Amino acid sequence: MTQAGAPGGQPPVRSALDASTLPAQIHEALEEAIIHGDLPPGSRLRPDDIAALHGVSRIPVREALSSLDEAGWVEIRPRYGVYVKERNYTELQELFEARAALEAEIAKLAALRHTAADIVALKQTVDASKRAAEDNDVDALSRASVEFNAGIRAAARNSVLTALSLGLEKRARFYFFPVSGQLGSDWVGKQASLVGTVEAGDADQAASLARRYIVETGEAVSRLLGPDSFSS
């Protein structure tokens, strides 16, 4: 089992931290490292090494680890330490099931409420996805996917749905980031189709496409990760 944070294996998350928000910033840095696989499932997080890495005391680190535990990113095992949670097949299924319903409603509202500027921004993001896929640039492709989802949410103009979507998307990235390079060309085509439907103002079709897009992505992620990637 990887022991991230141990000497010679410290988590690759380093940033200039504001003392007033240390726990939140450490939480965010560790969360991103978990999502991107820099801290893989099963990794042990050592508070002393994280504190030393950021030049802080153990107090904000303990607070950050506690909030990560509450958010479901890590597991605190009394007397054994703190470990990054394993990927769970049931969670993956439930996560993409929930996202399918939510993103369908967001796409529907985007078709009804978008502006010309929203469409221009979405098309630019699709173009960025195409370039990233052609260059096999996994990081750029992942960023473009996040930007595309943000663009659809912006066009929907519903702050509550946006907050819910952001939380689920972040959790989904924990699952699809390792295989995002294999999903790239598929993403581009689906994004382009959804933008066309949103631009046409076809709310029902936009909802249907978005729902199918999320369901198919979840199925592909499960297949590409394989059974050995899940704890259950």
Side-chain angles (χ1 to χ4, degrees), residues 90-184:
T90 298
E91 182 188 45
L92 183 149
Q93 289 183 305
E94 294 177 348
L95 177 61
F96 279 89
E97 185 178 80
R99 288 194 76 214
L102 183 63
E103 299 305 326
E105 184 62 22
I106 289 173
K108 178 180 180 178
L109 292 178
L112 296 172
R113 299 175 177 177
H114 70 273
T115 65
D118 292 327
I119 299 302
V120 170
L122 284 166
K123 288 181 176 179
Q124 289 175 341
T125 303
V126 172
D127 288 340
S129 291
K130 290 179 181 177
R131 291 193 298 271
E134 290 168 357
D135 295 340
N136 197 31
D137 188 335
V138 176
D139 288 338
L141 191 61
S142 183
R143 287 195 300 271
S145 175
V146 171
E147 290 172 6
F148 179 82
N149 292 335
I152 294 291
R153 287 190 291 262
R157 289 172 172 76
N158 185 301
S159 61
V160 175
L161 290 177
T162 290
L164 292 171
S165 176
L166 281 169
L168 290 179
E169 180 188 47
K170 184 176 288 187
R171 194 66 188 172
R173 286 169 61 204
F174 175 60
Y175 286 90
F176 71 64
F177 187 84
V179 297
S180 56
Q182 297 166 269
L183 295 169

Side-chain angles (χ1 to χ4, degrees), residues 95-104 149 190 208-220:
L95 177 61
F96 279 89
E97 185 178 80
R99 288 194 76 214
L102 183 63
E103 299 305 326
N149 292 335
K190 290 176 179 177
S208 178
L209 282 178
R211 183 182 294 106
R212 187 166 76 243
Y213 173 27
I214 296 297
V215 169
E216 291 176 352
T217 298
E219 292 171 346

